[in-house]
Amino acid sequence: MEFLFLLASVIAVIGIAFVSSKMMTRLSESKLDENLIQKEQTKFFISSAIVEIVPIVLIVVAFASLENSTLSTGAVYISIGLMVIVWLTVLAKVFMKGQETVQSVEENYKQQVKGVVFISLAFLSGIPLASIFMLFNL
Protein backbone atom coordinates (compact mmCIF):
# COMPACT_ATOMS: atom_id res chain seq x y z
CA MET A 1 0.00 0.00 0.00
CA GLU A 2 2.91 2.37 0.57
CA PHE A 3 3.59 2.37 -3.16
CA LEU A 4 0.13 3.86 -3.80
CA PHE A 5 1.33 7.01 -2.04
CA LEU A 6 4.34 7.04 -4.37
CA LEU A 7 2.15 6.53 -7.43
CA ALA A 8 -0.19 9.34 -6.33
CA SER A 9 2.74 11.70 -5.86
CA VAL A 10 4.33 10.88 -9.19
CA ILE A 11 1.04 11.34 -11.06
CA ALA A 12 0.38 14.67 -9.32
CA VAL A 13 3.91 16.02 -9.76
CA ILE A 14 4.20 15.11 -13.44
CA GLY A 15 0.68 16.27 -14.26
CA ILE A 16 0.99 19.62 -12.50
CA ALA A 17 4.47 20.16 -13.97
CA PHE A 18 3.02 19.63 -17.44
CA VAL A 19 0.15 22.05 -16.80
CA SER A 20 2.50 24.60 -15.24
CA SER A 21 4.99 24.37 -18.08
CA LYS A 22 2.22 24.84 -20.61
CA MET A 23 0.99 27.93 -18.75
CA MET A 24 4.47 29.44 -18.55
CA THR A 25 5.06 28.84 -22.25
CA ARG A 26 1.83 30.65 -23.10
CA LEU A 27 2.78 33.53 -20.79
CA SER A 28 6.23 33.91 -22.30
CA GLU A 29 5.01 33.73 -25.91
CA SER A 30 2.04 36.09 -25.58
CA LYS A 31 1.64 39.82 -25.34
CA LEU A 32 0.85 40.12 -21.63
CA ASP A 33 -1.92 42.08 -20.01
CA GLU A 34 -3.88 41.70 -16.77
CA ASN A 35 -6.67 39.67 -18.37
CA LEU A 36 -4.31 37.18 -20.02
CA ILE A 37 -2.44 36.50 -16.78
CA GLN A 38 -5.72 35.99 -14.89
CA LYS A 39 -7.07 33.77 -17.68
CA GLU A 40 -3.94 31.60 -17.69
CA GLN A 41 -3.98 31.36 -13.90
CA THR A 42 -7.62 30.26 -13.96
CA LYS A 43 -6.84 27.60 -16.57
CA PHE A 44 -3.95 26.44 -14.41
CA PHE A 45 -6.13 26.13 -11.29
CA ILE A 46 -8.83 24.17 -13.12
CA SER A 47 -6.32 21.89 -14.86
CA SER A 48 -4.46 21.27 -11.60
CA ALA A 49 -7.68 20.36 -9.84
CA ILE A 50 -8.50 17.87 -12.59
CA VAL A 51 -4.98 16.39 -12.44
CA GLU A 52 -5.19 15.98 -8.66
CA ILE A 53 -8.42 13.95 -8.70
CA VAL A 54 -6.69 10.61 -9.34
CA PRO A 55 -3.87 11.17 -6.78
CA ILE A 56 -6.37 12.14 -4.09
CA VAL A 57 -8.43 9.02 -4.77
CA LEU A 58 -5.24 6.91 -4.62
CA ILE A 59 -4.26 8.45 -1.29
CA VAL A 60 -7.72 7.82 0.16
CA VAL A 61 -7.68 4.20 -1.04
CA ALA A 62 -4.16 3.65 0.31
CA PHE A 63 -4.98 5.21 3.65
CA ALA A 64 -8.20 3.18 3.97
CA SER A 65 -6.34 -0.03 3.12
CA LEU A 66 -3.61 0.50 5.70
CA GLU A 67 -5.79 -0.97 8.42
CA ASN A 68 -5.72 -4.44 6.87
CA SER A 69 -2.09 -4.63 5.78
CA THR A 70 1.34 -4.80 7.36
CA LEU A 71 3.91 -2.38 6.05
CA SER A 72 7.57 -3.03 5.51
CA THR A 73 9.78 -0.30 6.93
CA GLY A 74 12.17 -0.66 4.01
CA ALA A 75 9.37 -0.25 1.47
CA VAL A 76 8.15 2.87 3.26
CA TYR A 77 11.62 4.45 3.13
CA ILE A 78 12.09 3.43 -0.51
CA SER A 79 8.75 5.04 -1.37
CA ILE A 80 9.66 8.22 0.48
CA GLY A 81 13.10 8.33 -1.14
CA LEU A 82 11.76 7.90 -4.66
CA MET A 83 9.01 10.42 -3.95
CA VAL A 84 11.52 13.02 -2.78
CA ILE A 85 13.81 12.43 -5.77
CA VAL A 86 10.99 12.81 -8.32
CA TRP A 87 9.45 15.76 -6.48
CA LEU A 88 12.70 17.75 -6.11
CA THR A 89 13.79 17.03 -9.69
CA VAL A 90 10.51 18.24 -11.15
CA LEU A 91 10.39 21.14 -8.70
CA ALA A 92 13.82 22.30 -9.92
CA LYS A 93 12.77 21.99 -13.57
CA VAL A 94 9.57 23.97 -13.03
CA PHE A 95 11.50 26.62 -11.07
CA MET A 96 14.04 26.97 -13.90
CA LYS A 97 11.23 27.21 -16.48
CA GLY A 98 9.61 29.85 -14.28
CA GLN A 99 12.82 31.87 -14.11
CA GLU A 100 13.08 31.76 -17.91
CA THR A 101 9.49 32.94 -18.17
CA VAL A 102 10.07 35.80 -15.72
CA GLN A 103 13.12 36.92 -17.71
CA SER A 104 11.17 36.91 -20.98
CA VAL A 105 8.24 39.10 -19.90
CA GLU A 106 8.00 42.87 -19.80
CA GLU A 107 9.28 44.61 -16.70
CA ASN A 108 5.86 45.76 -15.42
CA TYR A 109 4.52 42.16 -15.38
CA LYS A 110 7.50 40.41 -13.75
CA GLN A 111 6.04 40.50 -10.23
CA GLN A 112 2.75 38.97 -11.33
CA VAL A 113 4.52 36.23 -13.30
CA LYS A 114 6.76 35.51 -10.29
CA GLY A 115 3.61 35.08 -8.22
CA VAL A 116 2.21 32.66 -10.78
CA VAL A 117 5.48 30.67 -10.72
CA PHE A 118 5.46 30.37 -6.93
CA ILE A 119 1.79 29.36 -6.93
CA SER A 120 2.60 26.56 -9.36
CA LEU A 121 5.50 25.43 -7.14
CA ALA A 122 3.14 25.31 -4.16
CA PHE A 123 0.58 23.28 -6.10
CA LEU A 124 3.35 20.94 -7.21
CA SER A 125 4.39 20.31 -3.60
CA GLY A 126 1.01 19.57 -2.01
CA ILE A 127 0.44 15.88 -2.78
CA PRO A 128 4.07 14.77 -2.26
CA LEU A 129 4.28 16.49 1.12
CA ALA A 130 0.94 15.02 2.22
CA SER A 131 2.08 11.55 1.14
CA ILE A 132 5.42 11.85 2.90
CA PHE A 133 3.79 12.99 6.15
CA MET A 134 1.28 10.16 5.98
CA LEU A 135 4.02 7.59 5.42
CA PHE A 136 6.11 8.98 8.29
CA ASN A 137 3.14 8.72 10.62
CA LEU A 138 2.48 5.03 9.97
Side-chain angles (χ1 to χ4, degrees), residues 9 13 83 87 122 124-136:
S9 294
V13 164
M83 211 178 300
W87 172 49
L124 187 73
S125 300
I127 297 287
L129 286 175
S131 296
I132 289 169
F133 290 134
M134 284 184 188
L135 284 172
F136 272 135

Side-chain angles (χ1 to χ4, degrees), residues 1-14 54-55 58-59 62-63 74-87 127-132 134-135 138:
M1 285 300 124
E2 57 274 356
F3 291 110
L4 284 178
F5 290 107
L6 173 63
L7 181 62
S9 294
V10 169
I11 290 171
V13 164
I14 291 173
V54 171
L58 284 173
I59 288 174
F63 199 70
V76 169
Y77 288 125
I78 290 171
S79 293
I80 291 172
L82 291 173
M83 211 178 300
V84 168
I85 290 169
V86 169
W87 172 49
I127 297 287
L129 286 175
S131 296
I132 289 169
M134 284 184 188
L135 284 172
L138 296 179

Side-chain angles (χ1 to χ4, degrees), residues 3-124:
F3 291 110
L4 284 178
F5 290 107
L6 173 63
L7 181 62
S9 294
V10 169
I11 290 171
V13 164
I14 291 173
I16 293 173
F18 177 75
V19 170
S20 177
S21 177
K22 202 168 146 183
M23 174 188 62
M24 289 182 215
T25 301
R26 286 191 301 257
L27 287 175
S28 64
E29 293 175 350
S30 302
K31 177 79 172 135
L32 290 182
D33 64 354
E34 297 287 328
N35 289 335
L36 178 69
I37 294 172
Q38 289 176 358
K39 185 175 146 185
E40 290 301 323
Q41 217 172 7
T42 302
K43 282 183 189 176
F44 171 74
F45 289 144
I46 292 170
S47 300
S48 294
I50 292 170
V51 166
E52 287 184 342
I53 290 171
V54 171
I56 290 172
V57 168
L58 284 173
I59 288 174
V60 168
V61 167
F63 199 70
S65 302
L66 287 177
E67 220 174 75
N68 303 329
S69 64
T70 58
L71 298 177
S72 164
T73 305
V76 169
Y77 288 125
I78 290 171
S79 293
I80 291 172
L82 291 173
M83 211 178 300
V84 168
I85 290 169
V86 169
W87 172 49
L88 292 179
T89 303
V90 174
L91 196 68
K93 287 185 181 213
V94 170
F95 181 77
M96 296 305 291
K97 175 78 173 171
Q99 292 305 307
E100 291 172 13
T101 303
V102 169
Q103 297 303 319
S104 70
V105 300
E106 301 167 18
E107 191 66 37
N108 52 339
Y109 294 113
K110 285 189 189 274
Q111 284 301 101
Q112 285 180 299
V113 174
K114 280 182 186 177
V116 169
V117 169
F118 285 114
I119 288 170
S120 67
L121 294 174
F123 266 75
L124 187 73

